[in-house]
């Protein structure tokens, strides 16, 4: 997320915490679709994702008063959705393959043939990485979260997030080098 979007979210959160009940729907409108997509990546079930995000909004609404850094609302809400999605997976006793295959619905909408092939190759190589490294890559490069925010979302230290990102890059280099040989 961009800094201006975080600040805007922070202002809306502060308004809600101050008693302006009309500000909460603004947060829902800004983040609902993104949170549904996050949940879907874990569950691979559209209806379950909608239910999870709906339940998450209830939790967010009840706990928003405890949010100490209003500008971190997006990562905080994402963390809640991820936790609820993982709870859903565990309760449904699905195996880890569901999480490992969440990239399969990611489609490239680019007309340039070589760029599309390169991106498809990169996505297929990313699938060979461990799940924890893929998650950090996705949050850092596609969602543009900082290492600090990634640490908060995944409930890991900043150093661990940095290490996973480094090892993911290094492993991708090795895999790519081996594919070219």
């Amino acid at each position: 997320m961009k800094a201006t979007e975080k600040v805007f979210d922070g202002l809306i959160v502060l308004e809600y915490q101050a008693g302006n009940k009309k500000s909460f729907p603004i947060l829902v409108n800004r983040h609902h679709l993104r949170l549904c997509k996050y949940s879907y990546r874990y569950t691979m079930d559209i209806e379950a994702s909608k239910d999870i995000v709906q339940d998450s909004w209830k939790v967010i609404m009840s706990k928003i008063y405890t949010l100490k850094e209003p500008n971190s609302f997006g990562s905080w809400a994402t963390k809640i959705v991820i936790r609820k999605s993982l709870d859903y997976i565990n309760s449904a006793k699905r195996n880890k393959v569901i999480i490992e295959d969440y990239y399969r619905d990611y489609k490239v909408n680019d007309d340039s043939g070589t760029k599309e092939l390169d991106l498809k190759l990169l996505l297929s190589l990313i699938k060979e990485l461990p799940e924890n490294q893929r998650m950090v890559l996705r949050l850092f490069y596609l969602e543009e979260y900082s290492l600090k925010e990634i640490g908060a979302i995944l409930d890991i230290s900043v150093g661990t997030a940095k290490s996973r990102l480094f090892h993911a890059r290094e492993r991708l280099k090795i895999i790519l080098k081996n594919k070219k040989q």
Side-chain angles (χ1 to χ4, degrees), residues 39-40 43-55 85 88 94:
S39 181
Y40 179 75
T43 63
M44 300 307 284
D45 183 340
I46 293 172
E47 294 305 316
S49 297
K50 290 177 183 177
D51 291 342
I52 289 167
V53 173
Q54 192 64 38
D55 290 343
S85 297
Y88 169 81
R94 296 181 186 230

Coordinates of all heavy atoms in Angstrom, one line a residue, residues 39-40 43-55 85 88 94:
S39 N -8.3 -14.0 1.2 CA -8.9 -15.2 1.8 C -9.1 -16.3 0.7 O -8.8 -17.5 1.0 CB -10.3 -14.9 2.4 OG -10.9 -16.0 3.0
Y40 N -9.5 -15.9 -0.5 CA -9.6 -16.9 -1.5 C -8.3 -17.6 -1.9 O -8.3 -18.8 -2.2 CB -10.2 -16.3 -2.8 CG -10.4 -17.3 -3.9 CD1 -11.4 -18.2 -3.9 CD2 -9.5 -17.3 -5.0 CE1 -11.5 -19.1 -4.9 CE2 -9.6 -18.2 -6.0 CZ -10.7 -19.1 -6.0 OH -10.8 -20.0 -7.0
T43 N -8.1 -20.4 0.8 CA -9.2 -21.4 0.9 C -9.5 -22.0 -0.5 O -10.0 -23.1 -0.5 CB -10.5 -20.8 1.4 OG1 -10.9 -19.7 0.6 CG2 -10.3 -20.2 2.8
M44 N -9.3 -21.2 -1.5 CA -9.7 -21.7 -2.9 C -11.2 -22.0 -2.9 O -11.7 -22.8 -3.7 CB -8.9 -22.9 -3.4 CG -7.4 -22.6 -3.4 SD -6.9 -21.2 -4.4 CE -7.1 -21.8 -6.0
D45 N -12.0 -21.3 -2.1 CA -13.4 -21.5 -2.1 C -14.1 -20.1 -1.9 O -13.9 -19.4 -0.9 CB -13.7 -22.3 -0.8 CG -15.2 -22.6 -0.7 OD1 -16.1 -21.9 -1.3 OD2 -15.6 -23.6 0.0
I46 N -14.8 -19.7 -3.0 CA -15.3 -18.3 -3.1 C -16.3 -18.1 -1.9 O -16.2 -17.0 -1.2 CB -16.0 -18.1 -4.4 CG1 -14.9 -18.0 -5.5 CG2 -16.8 -16.8 -4.4 CD1 -15.5 -18.0 -6.9
E47 N -17.2 -19.0 -1.7 CA -18.2 -18.8 -0.7 C -17.6 -18.7 0.7 O -18.0 -17.9 1.5 CB -19.3 -19.9 -0.8 CG -20.1 -19.8 -2.0 CD -20.8 -18.5 -2.3 OE1 -21.3 -17.9 -1.3 OE2 -20.7 -18.0 -3.4
A48 N -16.7 -19.6 1.0 CA -16.0 -19.6 2.3 C -15.2 -18.3 2.5 O -15.2 -17.8 3.6 CB -15.1 -20.8 2.4
S49 N -14.6 -17.8 1.4 CA -13.8 -16.6 1.5 C -14.8 -15.4 1.9 O -14.4 -14.6 2.7 CB -13.2 -16.3 0.2 OG -12.2 -17.3 -0.2
K50 N -15.9 -15.4 1.2 CA -16.9 -14.3 1.6 C -17.3 -14.4 3.0 O -17.4 -13.4 3.7 CB -18.1 -14.4 0.7 CG -17.8 -14.0 -0.8 CD -19.1 -14.2 -1.6 CE -18.8 -13.9 -3.1 NZ -20.0 -14.2 -3.9
D51 N -17.6 -15.6 3.5 CA -18.0 -15.8 4.9 C -16.8 -15.4 5.8 O -17.1 -14.7 6.9 CB -18.4 -17.2 5.1 CG -19.7 -17.6 4.4 OD1 -20.4 -16.7 4.0 OD2 -19.9 -18.8 4.3
I52 N -15.6 -15.8 5.5 CA -14.5 -15.5 6.3 C -14.3 -14.0 6.5 O -14.1 -13.4 7.5 CB -13.2 -16.2 5.8 CG1 -13.3 -17.7 6.0 CG2 -11.9 -15.6 6.4 CD1 -12.2 -18.5 5.3
V53 N -14.4 -13.3 5.3 CA -14.2 -11.8 5.4 C -15.3 -11.2 6.1 O -15.1 -10.2 6.9 CB -14.0 -11.3 3.9 CG1 -14.0 -9.8 3.9 CG2 -12.7 -11.8 3.3
Q54 N -16.5 -11.7 6.0 CA -17.6 -11.1 6.7 C -17.4 -11.3 8.2 O -17.6 -10.3 9.0 CB -19.0 -11.8 6.3 CG -20.2 -11.1 6.8 CD -20.3 -9.7 6.2 OE1 -20.0 -9.4 5.0 NE2 -20.8 -8.8 7.0
D55 N -17.0 -12.5 8.6 CA -16.7 -12.7 10.0 C -15.5 -11.8 10.5 O -15.5 -11.3 11.6 CB -16.3 -14.1 10.3 CG -17.5 -15.1 10.2 OD1 -18.7 -14.6 10.2 OD2 -17.3 -16.3 10.0
S85 N -8.7 -17.3 7.7 CA -8.6 -18.3 6.6 C -7.8 -19.5 7.0 O -8.2 -20.6 6.6 CB -7.9 -17.6 5.4 OG -8.6 -16.5 5.0
Y88 N -10.0 -21.6 9.1 CA -10.9 -22.4 8.2 C -10.3 -23.6 7.6 O -10.9 -24.7 7.6 CB -11.4 -21.4 7.1 CG -12.2 -22.2 6.0 CD1 -13.6 -22.5 6.3 CD2 -11.6 -22.6 4.9 CE1 -14.3 -23.2 5.3 CE2 -12.3 -23.3 3.9 CZ -13.7 -23.6 4.1 OH -14.3 -24.3 3.2
R94 N -8.1 -29.6 5.6 CA -7.6 -29.6 4.2 C -6.1 -29.7 4.4 O -5.5 -29.2 5.3 CB -7.9 -28.4 3.4 CG -9.4 -28.3 3.2 CD -9.8 -27.1 2.4 NE -11.2 -27.0 2.4 CZ -11.9 -26.8 1.3 NH1 -11.2 -26.7 0.2 NH2 -13.2 -26.7 1.3

